[in-house]
Coordinates of all heavy atoms in Angstrom, one line a residue:
S204 N -11.4 13.8 -42.5 CA -12.3 12.9 -43.2 C -12.1 11.6 -42.5 O -13.1 10.8 -42.3 CB -12.1 12.9 -44.7 OG -10.7 12.4 -44.9
E205 N -10.8 11.1 -42.3 CA -10.6 9.8 -41.7 C -11.2 9.6 -40.3 O -11.9 8.7 -40.0 CB -9.1 9.6 -41.6 CG -8.6 8.3 -41.4 CD -8.9 7.3 -42.6 OE1 -8.9 7.8 -43.7 OE2 -9.0 6.1 -42.3
M206 N -11.2 10.7 -39.5 CA -11.7 10.7 -38.2 C -13.2 10.4 -38.2 O -13.7 9.5 -37.5 CB -11.5 12.0 -37.5 CG -10.2 12.2 -36.9 SD -10.0 11.3 -35.3 CE -8.5 12.0 -34.8
S207 N -14.0 11.1 -39.1 CA -15.4 10.9 -39.1 C -15.8 9.5 -39.6 O -16.7 8.9 -39.1 CB -16.1 12.0 -39.9 OG -15.7 11.9 -41.2
E208 N -15.0 9.1 -40.6 CA -15.2 7.7 -41.1 C -15.1 6.6 -39.9 O -16.0 5.8 -39.7 CB -14.2 7.4 -42.1 CG -14.7 6.6 -43.3 CD -13.7 6.5 -44.3 OE1 -13.6 7.4 -45.2 OE2 -12.9 5.5 -44.4
R209 N -14.0 6.8 -39.2 CA -13.8 5.9 -38.1 C -14.8 6.1 -37.0 O -15.2 5.1 -36.3 CB -12.3 6.0 -37.5 CG -11.3 5.9 -38.6 CD -10.4 4.8 -38.4 NE -9.3 4.9 -39.5 CZ -8.1 4.6 -39.3 NH1 -7.6 4.3 -38.1 NH2 -7.2 4.7 -40.3
A210 N -15.2 7.3 -36.7 CA -16.2 7.5 -35.6 C -17.5 6.8 -36.0 O -18.1 6.2 -35.1 CB -16.4 9.0 -35.5
N211 N -17.8 6.8 -37.2 CA -19.0 6.1 -37.7 C -18.9 4.6 -37.5 O -19.8 3.9 -37.1 CB -19.3 6.4 -39.2 CG -19.9 7.8 -39.3 OD1 -20.6 8.3 -38.4 ND2 -19.7 8.4 -40.5
Y212 N -17.7 4.1 -37.8 CA -17.5 2.7 -37.6 C -17.6 2.3 -36.1 O -18.2 1.2 -35.8 CB -16.1 2.3 -38.1 CG -15.8 0.9 -38.2 CD1 -16.5 0.0 -39.0 CD2 -14.8 0.3 -37.3 CE1 -16.2 -1.3 -39.1 CE2 -14.6 -1.1 -37.4 CZ -15.3 -1.8 -38.3 OH -15.1 -3.2 -38.3
I213 N -17.0 3.1 -35.2 CA -17.1 2.9 -33.9 C -18.6 2.8 -33.4 O -19.1 1.9 -32.6 CB -16.4 3.9 -33.0 CG1 -14.9 3.9 -33.3 CG2 -16.8 3.8 -31.5 CD1 -14.1 3.3 -32.1
K214 N -19.4 3.7 -33.9 CA -20.8 3.8 -33.6 C -21.5 2.4 -34.0 O -22.4 2.0 -33.4 CB -21.5 4.9 -34.4 CG -21.5 6.2 -33.5 CD -22.4 7.3 -34.2 CE -21.8 8.6 -33.9 NZ -21.8 9.5 -35.0
R215 N -21.0 1.8 -35.1 CA -21.5 0.5 -35.6 C -21.1 -0.6 -34.6 O -21.9 -1.4 -34.3 CB -21.0 0.2 -36.9 CG -22.0 0.2 -38.0 CD -21.4 -0.1 -39.3 NE -21.2 -1.5 -39.6 CZ -20.4 -2.0 -40.5 NH1 -19.7 -1.2 -41.2 NH2 -20.3 -3.3 -40.6
I216 N -19.8 -0.6 -34.2 CA -19.4 -1.8 -33.4 C -19.6 -1.7 -31.9 O -19.7 -2.7 -31.2 CB -17.9 -2.2 -33.7 CG1 -16.9 -1.4 -32.9 CG2 -17.7 -2.3 -35.2 CD1 -15.6 -2.2 -32.9
Q217 N -19.8 -0.5 -31.4 CA -20.0 -0.3 -30.0 C -21.2 -1.1 -29.4 O -21.1 -1.8 -28.5 CB -20.1 1.2 -29.6 CG -20.3 1.4 -28.1 CD -20.0 2.8 -27.6 OE1 -19.4 3.6 -28.3 NE2 -20.5 3.2 -26.5
P218 N -22.4 -0.9 -30.0 CA -23.5 -1.7 -29.5 C -23.4 -3.2 -29.6 O -23.8 -4.0 -28.7 CB -24.7 -1.3 -30.4 CG -24.2 -0.3 -31.4 CD -22.8 -0.1 -31.2
L219 N -22.7 -3.7 -30.7 CA -22.3 -5.1 -30.8 C -21.5 -5.6 -29.7 O -21.7 -6.6 -29.0 CB -21.6 -5.4 -32.1 CG -22.4 -5.7 -33.4 CD1 -21.5 -5.7 -34.6 CD2 -23.1 -7.0 -33.2
T220 N -20.4 -4.8 -29.4 CA -19.5 -5.1 -28.4 C -20.2 -5.2 -27.0 O -20.0 -6.1 -26.2 CB -18.3 -4.1 -28.2 OG1 -17.9 -3.8 -29.6 CG2 -17.2 -4.5 -27.4
E221 N -21.1 -4.2 -26.8 CA -21.8 -4.2 -25.5 C -22.7 -5.4 -25.4 O -22.7 -6.1 -24.3 CB -22.8 -2.9 -25.5 CG -22.0 -1.7 -25.1 CD -22.8 -0.4 -25.2 OE1 -24.1 -0.6 -25.4 OE2 -22.3 0.7 -25.0
Y223 N -22.2 -8.4 -26.8 CA -21.4 -9.6 -26.6 C -20.9 -9.7 -25.1 O -20.9 -10.8 -24.5 CB -20.0 -9.5 -27.4 CG -20.3 -9.7 -28.9 CD1 -19.5 -9.1 -29.8 CD2 -21.4 -10.4 -29.4 CE1 -19.6 -9.2 -31.2 CE2 -21.6 -10.5 -30.8 CZ -20.8 -9.9 -31.6 OH -21.0 -10.0 -33.0
M234 N -18.4 2.9 -21.7 CA -17.8 2.5 -23.0 C -17.8 3.8 -23.8 O -18.8 4.4 -24.0 CB -18.5 1.4 -23.7 CG -17.7 0.8 -24.8 SD -18.5 -0.6 -25.7 CE -18.5 -1.9 -24.6
H235 N -16.7 4.2 -24.2 CA -16.6 5.4 -25.1 C -15.5 5.4 -26.1 O -14.7 4.5 -26.0 CB -16.4 6.6 -24.2 CG -15.2 6.6 -23.4 ND1 -15.1 6.1 -22.1 CD2 -13.9 7.0 -23.6 CE1 -13.9 6.2 -21.6 NE2 -13.1 6.7 -22.5
S236 N -15.5 6.3 -27.1 CA -14.4 6.2 -28.0 C -13.5 7.4 -27.6 O -13.8 8.4 -27.1 CB -15.0 6.5 -29.4 OG -15.6 7.7 -29.5
R237 N -12.2 7.2 -27.9 CA -11.2 8.2 -27.6 C -10.4 8.4 -28.9 O -9.9 7.5 -29.5 CB -10.4 7.9 -26.4 CG -9.2 7.0 -26.7 CD -7.9 7.8 -26.7 NE -6.7 6.9 -27.1 CZ -6.5 6.7 -28.4 NH1 -7.2 7.1 -29.4 NH2 -5.4 5.9 -28.7
E256 N -3.6 5.5 -43.1 CA -4.3 4.2 -43.2 C -3.6 3.2 -42.2 O -4.1 2.2 -41.8 CB -4.3 3.6 -44.6 CG -5.1 4.4 -45.6 CD -6.6 4.3 -45.3 OE1 -7.0 3.3 -44.7 OE2 -7.3 5.3 -45.6
I258 N -2.5 3.8 -39.3 CA -2.6 4.1 -37.9 C -4.0 3.6 -37.4 O -5.0 4.1 -37.8 CB -2.5 5.7 -37.7 CG1 -1.1 6.0 -38.1 CG2 -2.8 6.0 -36.3 CD1 -0.7 7.4 -38.0
H259 N -3.8 2.5 -36.6 CA -5.1 1.8 -36.2 C -5.7 2.3 -35.0 O -6.8 1.9 -34.7 CB -4.6 0.3 -36.0 CG -4.0 -0.3 -37.1 ND1 -4.5 -0.2 -38.4 CD2 -2.8 -1.1 -37.2 CE1 -3.6 -0.9 -39.2 NE2 -2.7 -1.4 -38.6
D260 N -5.0 3.2 -34.3 CA -5.7 3.7 -33.1 C -6.0 5.2 -33.2 O -6.1 5.9 -32.2 CB -4.8 3.5 -31.8 CG -3.5 4.3 -32.0 OD1 -3.1 4.7 -33.1 OD2 -2.8 4.4 -30.9
L261 N -6.3 5.6 -34.4 CA -6.8 7.0 -34.6 C -8.0 7.3 -33.7 O -8.1 8.3 -33.0 CB -7.2 7.2 -36.1 CG -7.5 8.6 -36.6 CD1 -6.2 9.5 -36.4 CD2 -7.9 8.6 -38.1
I262 N -8.9 6.3 -33.7 CA -10.0 6.4 -32.7 C -10.0 5.0 -32.1 O -10.0 4.0 -32.8 CB -11.4 6.7 -33.3 CG1 -11.3 8.1 -33.9 CG2 -12.4 6.6 -32.2 CD1 -12.7 8.6 -34.4
A263 N -10.0 4.9 -30.8 CA -10.0 3.6 -30.1 C -11.3 3.5 -29.4 O -11.9 4.5 -29.0 CB -8.9 3.4 -29.2
L264 N -11.8 2.2 -29.2 CA -12.9 2.0 -28.4 C -12.4 1.6 -27.0 O -11.7 0.7 -26.9 CB -13.8 0.9 -29.0 CG -15.1 0.5 -28.2 CD1 -16.0 1.7 -28.1 CD2 -15.8 -0.7 -28.9
R265 N -12.9 2.3 -26.0 CA -12.4 2.1 -24.6 C -13.5 1.7 -23.8 O -14.6 2.3 -23.8 CB -11.8 3.4 -24.1 CG -11.2 3.3 -22.7 CD -10.7 4.6 -22.3 NE -9.5 5.0 -23.0 CZ -9.0 6.3 -23.1 NH1 -9.7 7.3 -22.5 NH2 -7.9 6.5 -23.6
I281 N -14.0 -10.6 -26.8 CA -13.8 -9.8 -28.0 C -13.0 -10.7 -29.0 O -13.4 -10.7 -30.2 CB -13.1 -8.5 -27.7 CG1 -14.1 -7.6 -26.9 CG2 -12.6 -7.8 -28.9 CD1 -13.5 -6.5 -26.2
H284 N -15.0 -13.2 -31.0 CA -15.8 -12.7 -32.1 C -15.1 -12.1 -33.3 O -15.5 -12.2 -34.4 CB -16.9 -11.6 -31.6 CG -17.9 -12.3 -30.8 ND1 -17.8 -12.4 -29.4 CD2 -19.1 -12.8 -31.1 CE1 -18.9 -13.0 -29.0 NE2 -19.7 -13.3 -29.9
W285 N -13.9 -11.4 -32.9 CA -13.1 -10.7 -33.9 C -11.7 -11.1 -33.8 O -11.1 -11.1 -32.7 CB -13.3 -9.2 -33.8 CG -14.7 -8.8 -34.1 CD1 -15.5 -9.0 -35.2 CD2 -15.5 -7.9 -33.2 NE1 -16.7 -8.4 -35.1 CE2 -16.7 -7.7 -33.8 CE3 -15.3 -7.4 -32.0 CZ2 -17.7 -6.9 -33.3 CZ3 -16.3 -6.5 -31.4 CH2 -17.5 -6.4 -32.1
K286 N -11.0 -11.5 -34.9 CA -9.6 -11.9 -34.8 C -8.7 -10.7 -34.4 O -8.9 -9.7 -34.9 CB -9.2 -12.4 -36.2 CG -9.8 -13.8 -36.5 CD -8.7 -14.7 -36.9 CE -9.3 -16.1 -37.1 NZ -10.3 -16.5 -36.1
T309 N -5.9 -4.2 -27.5 CA -5.9 -5.1 -28.6 C -6.3 -4.4 -29.9 O -7.0 -3.4 -29.8 CB -6.7 -6.4 -28.3 OG1 -6.6 -7.3 -29.4 CG2 -8.2 -6.1 -28.2
T310 N -5.9 -4.9 -31.0 CA -6.3 -4.3 -32.2 C -6.9 -5.5 -33.0 O -6.4 -6.6 -33.1 CB -5.1 -3.8 -33.0 OG1 -4.5 -2.8 -32.2 CG2 -5.5 -3.2 -34.3
I311 N -8.1 -5.3 -33.4 CA -8.9 -6.4 -34.0 C -9.4 -6.1 -35.4 O -9.5 -4.9 -35.9 CB -10.2 -6.7 -33.1 CG1 -11.0 -5.4 -32.9 CG2 -9.8 -7.3 -31.8 CD1 -12.5 -5.6 -33.1
F312 N -9.7 -7.2 -36.2 CA -10.3 -7.0 -37.5 C -11.9 -7.0 -37.2 O -12.4 -8.1 -36.9 CB -10.0 -8.1 -38.4 CG -8.5 -8.1 -38.8 CD1 -7.6 -8.9 -38.1 CD2 -8.0 -7.3 -39.8 CE1 -6.3 -8.9 -38.4 CE2 -6.7 -7.3 -40.2 CZ -5.8 -8.1 -39.4
G313 N -12.5 -5.9 -37.2 CA -14.0 -5.9 -36.9 C -14.8 -6.3 -38.1 O -14.3 -6.8 -39.1
P314 N -16.1 -6.0 -38.1 CA -17.0 -6.4 -39.2 C -16.4 -5.6 -40.5 O -15.9 -4.5 -40.4 CB -18.3 -5.7 -38.8 CG -18.2 -5.5 -37.3 CD -16.8 -5.4 -37.0
D315 N -16.6 -6.3 -41.6 CA -16.0 -5.8 -42.9 C -14.5 -5.7 -42.9 O -14.0 -4.9 -43.7 CB -16.7 -4.4 -43.3 CG -18.2 -4.4 -43.4 OD1 -18.7 -5.6 -43.7 OD2 -18.8 -3.4 -43.1
G316 N -13.8 -6.3 -41.9 CA -12.4 -6.3 -42.0 C -11.8 -5.0 -41.6 O -10.5 -4.8 -41.8
E317 N -12.5 -4.0 -41.1 CA -11.9 -2.8 -40.6 C -11.1 -3.1 -39.4 O -11.4 -3.9 -38.5 CB -13.0 -1.8 -40.3 CG -13.7 -1.2 -41.5 CD -12.9 -0.1 -42.3 OE1 -12.1 0.6 -41.6 OE2 -13.0 0.0 -43.5
I318 N -10.0 -2.3 -39.2 CA -9.0 -2.6 -38.1 C -9.3 -1.5 -37.1 O -9.3 -0.3 -37.4 CB -7.6 -2.5 -38.6 CG1 -7.4 -3.7 -39.6 CG2 -6.6 -2.7 -37.4 CD1 -6.1 -3.6 -40.3
I319 N -9.4 -1.9 -35.8 CA -9.7 -0.9 -34.8 C -9.1 -1.3 -33.5 O -8.9 -2.5 -33.1 CB -11.3 -0.7 -34.7 CG1 -11.5 0.5 -33.9 CG2 -12.0 -2.0 -34.0 CD1 -12.2 1.6 -34.7
E320 N -8.6 -0.3 -32.7 CA -8.1 -0.7 -31.4 C -9.1 -0.6 -30.3 O -10.0 0.2 -30.3 CB -6.9 0.4 -31.1 CG -6.2 0.0 -29.7 CD -5.0 0.9 -29.4 OE1 -4.0 0.9 -30.1 OE2 -5.1 1.6 -28.4
I321 N -9.0 -1.6 -29.4 CA -9.8 -1.7 -28.2 C -9.0 -1.6 -27.0 O -7.9 -2.3 -26.8 CB -10.7 -2.9 -28.3 CG1 -11.7 -2.8 -29.4 CG2 -11.5 -3.1 -26.9 CD1 -12.6 -4.0 -29.6

Side-chain angles (χ1 to χ4, degrees):
S204 63
E205 193 69 25
M206 280 281 191
S207 62
E208 219 172 275
R209 306 240 186 141
N211 284 333
Y212 188 65
I213 294 252
K214 268 186 211 141
R215 248 179 82 195
I216 81 162
Q217 180 165 340
L219 268 174
T220 315
E221 283 177 4
Y223 294 153
M234 196 180 289
H235 59 267
S236 60
R237 83 100 186 87
E256 294 295 330
I258 296 179
H259 304 311
D260 63 344
L261 192 57
I262 299 184
L264 180 61
R265 180 183 288 158
I281 288 163
H284 289 90
W285 295 307
K286 288 235 174 314
T309 183
T310 300
I311 52 136
F312 296 94
D315 303 332
E317 289 281 331
I318 298 166
I319 196 109
E320 180 175 299
I321 293 181

